[in-house]
């Protein structure tokens, strides 16, 4: 891709003593100091070591969807406080703080968009909202996005980024795993494609439900994936974990991913998958309502 | 009763029980009439037990769910069923001893029955991996589900786990995928599924065999998104805050009923299932037979649609 090549000369090798706020960014992996503008152009992938910085859900929308546009749904859904949960903070206060910080009502954006003119139901999680944790709102919005896909015979793409279920909603958070996975099972019966995209991190309750149930599953390089967190595993077995344990590459090797995909290639890869899965369906069925039929003329 | 086989709050009960049994021995040994004294103490014991168990905290219920003498999956299978044939292996990797099951008859009704299995002594605990299944355990369960569907057998899942095993091998073999797959498969399985949390219902490890047409909880079991200690370690940075976390997480059967996550609570003998295991098993068996008979009236299509509807409705959010 053009912009990616162009960005290389922007690299600086000599770190300055004082880094002006925002102008330069230090790579978390190779410690290279990079011109922030360059990172913007590479969608926040280090030109030196390929480290994928965490980016906002908005940035993913702009890099993955046609015209960077999503027709958002259900953005007004907010969490209740079913347990009246309190640790150091009351749960409603925690939610309010996250809402003020992110300008969103919860850790997820969902709606309708298109990739290469193929309409899709699209979901993206946002780690900046209480660690992308899955509570009732996340579960409900994913459920509705799956139903939207079924109602309109559309494929669905879910970009996951989450530390797992949200503790503050207790057992109801756990049940979101059941709710989303059960609807995905129904979607599968209807022959509609589901592409699961994993970003750093996707673990625990999210990984043990919808994130692992894609017809194909792809992940960004170097993402932390898995069921149990590294800290818990280390504690349980009482020894250090091997290098690269639970990374995207680790799970690719173990057979749990189809492909590790650079951020810059996400859109193209998903587009290819969707064409493979939808073009044939429309030809086979000869039904104007099957996915791909309406867009295959485009 | 040996030290360490009862809980702190059971101590007054255990002491009074000891006193009664001593008095009985004394009466027999010395051949004196103490019937009146004994029955008065027994009455007192009943009252004491009722008092203590009428107002259990959530943490006390968690402790009861983990009671060292609490009946486990194979105990219930032994007490409730006949002609049990244990089936082994996931046909892919191994046989997981932390998740067991097979074919059995409950009052003549053939079922596929399975659940996590804990060990009683140190050797058994290790053999059963403390009731923490690996991916092969969940995949063995998936095999059982498909078998049950093929031969139109109701499925009974007995849930009792402190969590799916968090180990290196478990990650290498896809613990997350194994659990997700089971949720996926169970949600569309074209036969009846009844799930009962008999002890500990910890998180994804429990949910991996926890999707069904009826979800029941034994009175003194717990069910939540994380163990109280796990929650405490994260939110309070101190696992010893488990009792507080149990309260905050609302882990009891009453809580789960109120939150709409379970369909019914199965009462235990006063004092907990471990005090009268046979009676606990009889109550559970009666409930299972009732529920299975109800579900047998529905077609597979009706079953899976109402099963989906049930989980679809769970959650707590609103339009702002
Ligand atoms: Zn770098």
């Amino acid at each position: 891709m053009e912009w990616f090549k162009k960005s290389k000369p922007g690299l600086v090798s000599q770190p300055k003593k004082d880094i002006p706020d925002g102008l330069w960014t230090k790579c978390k992996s190779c410690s290279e100091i990079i011109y922030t503008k360059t990172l913007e152009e590479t969608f926040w992938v280090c030109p030196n070591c390929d480290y994928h910085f965490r980016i906002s859900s908005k940035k993913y929308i702009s890099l993955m969807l046609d015209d960077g546009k999503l027709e958002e749904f259900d953005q007004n859904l907010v969490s209740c406080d079913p347990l009246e949960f309190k640790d150091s903070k009351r749960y409603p206060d925690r939610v309010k703080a996250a809402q003020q910080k992110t300008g969103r009502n919860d850790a997820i954006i969902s709606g309708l968009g298109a990739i290469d003119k193929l309409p899709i139901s699209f979901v993206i999680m946002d780690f900046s909202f209480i660690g992308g944790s899955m509570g009732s709102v996340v579960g409900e919005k994913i459920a509705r996005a799956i139903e939207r896909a079924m109602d309109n015979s559309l494929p669905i793409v879910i970009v996951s980024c989450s530390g797992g279920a949200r503790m503050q909603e207790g057992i109801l958070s756990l049940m979101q795993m059941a709710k989303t996975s059960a609807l995905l099972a129904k979607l599968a019966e209807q022959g509609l494609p589901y592409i699961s995209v994993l970003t750093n991190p996707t673990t625990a309750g999210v990984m043990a439900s919808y994130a692992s149930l894609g017809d194909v599953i792809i992940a960004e390089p170097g993402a932390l994936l898995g069921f149990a967190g590294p800290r818990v595993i280390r504690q349980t077995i009482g020894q250090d974990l091997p290098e690269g344990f639970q990374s995207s590459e680790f799970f690719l090797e173990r057979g749990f991913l189809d492909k590790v995909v650079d951020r810059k290639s996400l859109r193209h890869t998903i587009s290819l998958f969707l064409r493979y899965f939808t073009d044939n369906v429309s030809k086979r069925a000869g039904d104007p309502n099957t996915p791909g039929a309406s867009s295959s003329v485009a | 009763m040996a030290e360490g086989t009862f809980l702190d709050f059971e101590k007054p009960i255990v002491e009074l029980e000891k006193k009664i049994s001593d008095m009985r021995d004394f009466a027999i040994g010395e051949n004196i009439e103490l019937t009146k004294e004994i029955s008065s103490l027994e009455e007192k014991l009943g009252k004491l037990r009722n008092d203590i168990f009428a107002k259990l905290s959530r943490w006390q219920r968690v402790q009861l769910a983990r009671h060292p003498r609490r009946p486990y999956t194979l105990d219930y299978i032994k007490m409730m069923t006949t002609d049990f044939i244990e089936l082994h292996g996931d046909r892919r990797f191994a046989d997981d001893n932390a998740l067991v099951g097979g074919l059995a008859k409950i009052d003549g009704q053939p079922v596929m029955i399975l659940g996590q299995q804990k060990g009683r002594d140190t050797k058994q605990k290790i053999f059963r991996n403390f009731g923490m299944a690996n991916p092969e355990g969940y995949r063995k369960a998936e095999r059982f589900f498909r078998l049950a569907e093929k031969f139109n057998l109701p499925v009974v899942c007995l849930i009792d786990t402190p969590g799916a095993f968090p180990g290196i091998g478990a990650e290498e073999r896809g613990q997350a995928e194994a659990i997700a797959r089971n949720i996926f498969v169970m949600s569309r399985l074209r036969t009846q599924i009844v799930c009962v949390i008999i002890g500990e219902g910890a998180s994804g490890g429990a949910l991996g065999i926890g999707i069904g047409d009826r979800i029941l909880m034994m009175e003194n079991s717990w069910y939540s998104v994380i163990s109280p200690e796990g929650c405490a370690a994260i939110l309070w940075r101190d696992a010893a805050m488990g009792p507080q976390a149990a309260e905050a997480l609302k882990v009891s059967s009453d809580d789960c009923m109120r939150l709409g996550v379970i369909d019914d609570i199965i009462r235990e003998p006063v004092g907990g299932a471990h005090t009268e295991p046979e009676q606990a098993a009889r109550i559970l068996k009666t409930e299972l037979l009732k529920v299975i008979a109800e579900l047998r009236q529905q077609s597979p299509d009706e079953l899976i649609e109402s099963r989906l509807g049930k989980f679809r409705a769970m959650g707590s959010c609103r339009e702002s």
Side-chain angles (χ1 to χ4, degrees), chain B:
Chain B
M1 202 180 301
E3 199 66 37
T5 55
F6 57 88
L7 306 168
D8 278 352
F9 65 88
E10 290 181 300
K11 206 172 174 198
I13 298 169
V14 173
E15 280 170 358
L16 193 52
E17 279 172 345
K18 172 113 188 7
K19 197 170 165 187
I20 294 170
S21 108
D22 285 352
M23 190 179 280
R24 202 171 270 137
D25 289 348
F26 182 75
I28 293 166
E30 303 292 313
N31 199 17
I32 22 179
E33 178 56 50
L34 288 172
T35 318
K36 231 174 135 185
E37 287 79 358
I38 289 171
S39 72
S40 141
L41 280 182
E42 275 174 338
E43 201 175 303
K44 202 175 149 195
L45 175 67
K47 195 177 169 313
L48 178 69
R49 194 181 271 135
N50 281 332
D51 285 352
I52 290 175
F53 279 81
K55 43 175 194 247
L56 291 178
S57 70
R58 293 183 174 94
W59 179 247
Q60 286 173 324
R61 286 184 190 273
V62 170
Q63 289 176 293
L64 281 172
R66 296 170 177 168
H67 200 289
R69 290 186 294 125
R70 192 167 175 87
Y72 297 148
T73 293
L74 286 172
D75 300 319
Y76 281 115
I77 291 177
K78 200 173 163 199
M79 292 185 286
M80 292 191 308
T81 75
T82 55
D83 291 340
F84 176 57
I85 309 175
E86 188 174 350
L87 305 176
H88 292 275
D90 68 345
R91 301 293 188 271
R92 293 168 170 91
F93 179 76
D95 184 37
D96 192 336
N97 296 306
L99 201 154
V100 300
L103 300 159
K105 288 177 195 161
I106 305 179
D107 251 8
Q109 165 69 55
V111 296
M112 179 68 82
I113 187 164
L114 57 117
Q116 291 98 350
Q117 178 64 32
K118 292 178 174 177
R120 201 95 33 208
D121 58 29
T122 306
K123 204 176 144 200
Q124 280 292 313
K125 280 178 183 163
I126 292 165
F127 178 65
R128 299 296 182 187
N129 200 30
F130 302 87
M132 294 186 282
N134 271 286
E136 48 274 21
Y138 292 101
R139 291 182 183 128
K140 172 161 80 171
E142 187 201 343
R143 210 190 117 225
F144 294 174
F145 300 145
R146 299 221 188 256
L147 262 181
E149 182 181 57
K150 181 172 178 182
F151 298 109
N152 192 25
L153 297 166
V155 177
V156 176
C157 297
L158 303 179
I159 296 168
D160 188 13
T161 182
F165 187 60
I168 290 183
E171 292 294 325
E172 287 175 332
R173 298 191 294 280
Q175 186 73 286
E177 194 274 343
I179 290 170
R181 186 64 50 197
N182 277 13
I183 301 173
F184 188 88
V185 167
M186 293 182 93
S187 69
R188 300 309 271 180
L189 203 76
R190 299 177 69 80
T191 189
Q192 308 80 19
I193 310 175
V194 184
C195 303
V196 189
I197 294 115
I198 58 168
E200 299 195 82
S203 195
L207 196 67
I209 57 166
I211 309 298
D213 304 297
R214 294 284 187 282
I215 315 297
L216 313 171
M217 271 177 91
M218 301 281 286
E219 187 177 355
N220 298 309
S221 62
W222 70 268
Y223 194 15
S224 192
V225 68
I226 188 168
S227 73
E229 291 88 342
C231 173
I234 295 168
L235 291 183
W236 286 275
R237 307 204 174 275
D238 180 5
M241 296 284 279
Q244 285 82 350
E247 293 301 315
L249 281 170
K250 310 272 192 290
V251 301
S252 75
S253 51
D254 293 326
D255 294 323
C256 290
M257 190 76 195
R258 188 176 53 79
L259 291 165
V261 165
I262 61 168
D263 298 288
D264 215 345
I265 297 171
I266 300 171
R267 294 294 156 201
E268 294 181 22
V270 179
H274 64 284
T275 58
E276 302 281 351
E278 292 282 349
Q279 196 194 334
R282 261 196 310 276
I283 300 170
L284 175 58
K285 180 178 167 177
T286 307
E287 186 66 23
L288 284 174
L289 284 170
K290 192 189 95 190
V291 167
I292 289 169
E294 278 167 26
L295 294 172
R296 287 299 246 186
Q297 305 295 314
Q298 296 180 36
S299 72
D301 283 336
E302 289 168 339
L303 282 173
I304 59 170
E305 273 320 289
S306 56
R307 195 183 301 150
L308 172 62
K310 166 194 187 65
F311 287 95
R312 176 69 187 83
M314 291 181 192
S316 170
C317 56
R318 60 183 168 83
E319 297 282 341
S320 66

Side-chain angles (χ1 to χ4, degrees), chain A residues 74 76-88 94 105 136-137 140 143-144 147 165-179 181-186 188-189 204 207-210 212-213 225-228 231-233 236-237 239-242 245-246 250-251 254 256, chain B residues 132 139 163-169 171-181 183-185 187-188 190 201-207 210-211 223-226 230-236 245 247-250 255-256 258-261 304-305 307-308 311-320:
Chain A
D74 308 317
N76 294 328
L77 276 186
V78 293
S79 174
C80 303
D81 181 17
L83 308 187
E84 298 177 343
F85 194 96
K86 186 171 176 289
D87 50 284
S88 59
R94 203 175 280 282
N105 278 323
S136 298
V137 173
E140 180 64 24
R144 291 187 190 183
E147 286 165 341
R166 187 174 296 169
M167 267 182 294
Q168 293 87 346
E169 290 183 34
I171 188 75
L172 288 177
S173 293
L174 189 73
M175 292 306 133
Q176 305 312 306
M177 295 169 65
K179 184 199 260 184
S181 303
L183 278 166
L184 285 173
K186 192 174 179 183
E189 284 175 2
M207 193 63 187
S209 61
Y210 55 86
S212 284
L213 294 171
L225 311 175
F227 177 70
R231 188 185 56 85
V232 173
I233 299 175
T236 308
I237 62 171
Q239 63 189 64
D240 282 336
L241 303 176
F245 183 64
Q246 294 184 303
F250 169 92
F251 280 107
R254 301 289 162 179
F256 293 99
Chain B
M132 294 186 282
R139 291 182 183 128
F165 187 60
I168 290 183
E171 292 294 325
E172 287 175 332
R173 298 191 294 280
Q175 186 73 286
E177 194 274 343
I179 290 170
R181 186 64 50 197
I183 301 173
F184 188 88
V185 167
S187 69
R188 300 309 271 180
R190 299 177 69 80
S203 195
L207 196 67
I211 309 298
Y223 194 15
S224 192
V225 68
I226 188 168
C231 173
I234 295 168
L235 291 183
W236 286 275
E247 293 301 315
L249 281 170
K250 310 272 192 290
D255 294 323
C256 290
R258 188 176 53 79
L259 291 165
V261 165
I304 59 170
E305 273 320 289
R307 195 183 301 150
L308 172 62
F311 287 95
R312 176 69 187 83
M314 291 181 192
S316 170
C317 56
R318 60 183 168 83
E319 297 282 341
S320 66

